[in-house]
Amino acid sequence: MEKRSQAKVAMNYGALYGLSSSELYLIFYFAGAEVDSNAPKYLGYLLLILFLYMGIKSYRDQDLGGYIGYGKSLGTGILIGAFGGIIAGFFSVLMFTVIDPGLAEKIIEKAQEQMIEKGGMTDEQIEKILDWTRKAFSPVFLFMFSILGNAFLGLVFSLIISIFTRKEQTPFQG
């Protein structure tokens, strides 16, 4: 059996994560979940943790002879997150520009309502925040934030996952 590279493993598991998280979001969207619902976000985190663990463990067991250092495990997790972010980024752009172009405005309106209810901000402050939020829904920002955000989450979750998946080879082992 041919050994896969770290990038190949990360691409495979990142693609699975990106597609799965996109499907999960679509399920919640078509089921009519509220725009500020936390359920898709937390289930997305759970999916990322699952694919990080499976990807790192697969790379360790199938390609590295059962051994992986903390750094290589961490790097694999970051790459899985980044590759998943590319697919999720494409999906986000598609979601906010083609599937439901009005979704961004719905999210902004909900945020405005929450800021007004909470109080403590002037109308000028709220409008400034909402202007920045509108800019954040540009396709380029959505795509870049998805990649960087998922790579960062891959780092954070892999810091913990790598503690459990690392398995150092000692000089006395073969």
Side-chain angles (χ1 to χ4, degrees):
M1 186 166 121
E2 184 181 321
K3 288 187 178 185
R4 302 169 296 175
S5 68
Q6 182 183 33
K8 176 92 170 154
V9 172
M11 280 191 272
N12 289 339
Y13 282 91
L16 291 171
Y17 161 66
L19 291 170
S20 297
S21 66
S22 299
E23 285 178 39
L24 176 71
Y25 189 84
L26 281 174
I27 289 168
F28 276 93
Y29 174 77
F30 287 118
E34 291 291 320
V35 293
D36 62 344
S37 173
N38 284 324
K41 178 173 60 173
Y42 292 126
L43 286 173
Y45 293 158
L46 189 61
L47 275 177
L48 178 56
I49 291 167
L50 177 70
F51 283 107
L52 288 170
Y53 177 76
M54 290 186 331
I56 293 168
K57 188 174 180 316
S58 169
Y59 184 48
R60 179 193 72 191
D61 295 344
Q62 295 178 19
D63 303 299
L64 299 177
Y67 299 100
I68 191 168
Y70 187 83
K72 190 168 274 294
S73 178
L74 186 62
T76 305
I78 294 168
L79 287 173
I80 290 170
F83 286 122
I86 291 170
I87 292 181
F90 278 122
F91 169 74
S92 295
V93 170
L94 190 65
M95 184 71 196
F96 287 100
T97 59
V98 177
I99 298 172
D100 190 350
L103 183 59
E105 205 50 48
K106 289 177 199 170
I107 293 171
I108 291 169
E109 287 172 12
K110 188 76 169 177
Q112 183 177 15
E113 288 172 15
Q114 290 173 344
M115 284 187 268
I116 291 170
E117 284 175 17
K118 190 175 182 182
M121 285 193 261
T122 66
D123 289 344
E124 186 178 288
Q125 289 171 320
I126 291 173
E127 198 53 44
K128 194 175 227 179
I129 291 169
L130 295 177
D131 285 341
W132 279 102
T133 305
R134 282 184 187 89
K135 291 175 186 172
F137 280 105
S138 73
V140 171
F141 186 83
L142 283 171
F143 186 71
M144 293 307 296
F145 182 76
S146 178
I147 295 169
L148 295 174
N150 278 291
F152 178 74
L153 287 173
L155 165 70
V156 171
F157 293 138
S158 292
L159 284 168
I160 298 165
I161 292 169
S162 294
I163 292 169
F164 300 103
T165 58
R166 75 182 172 115
K167 193 173 181 186
E168 303 281 347
Q169 187 172 11
T170 65
F172 304 108
Q173 293 170 318

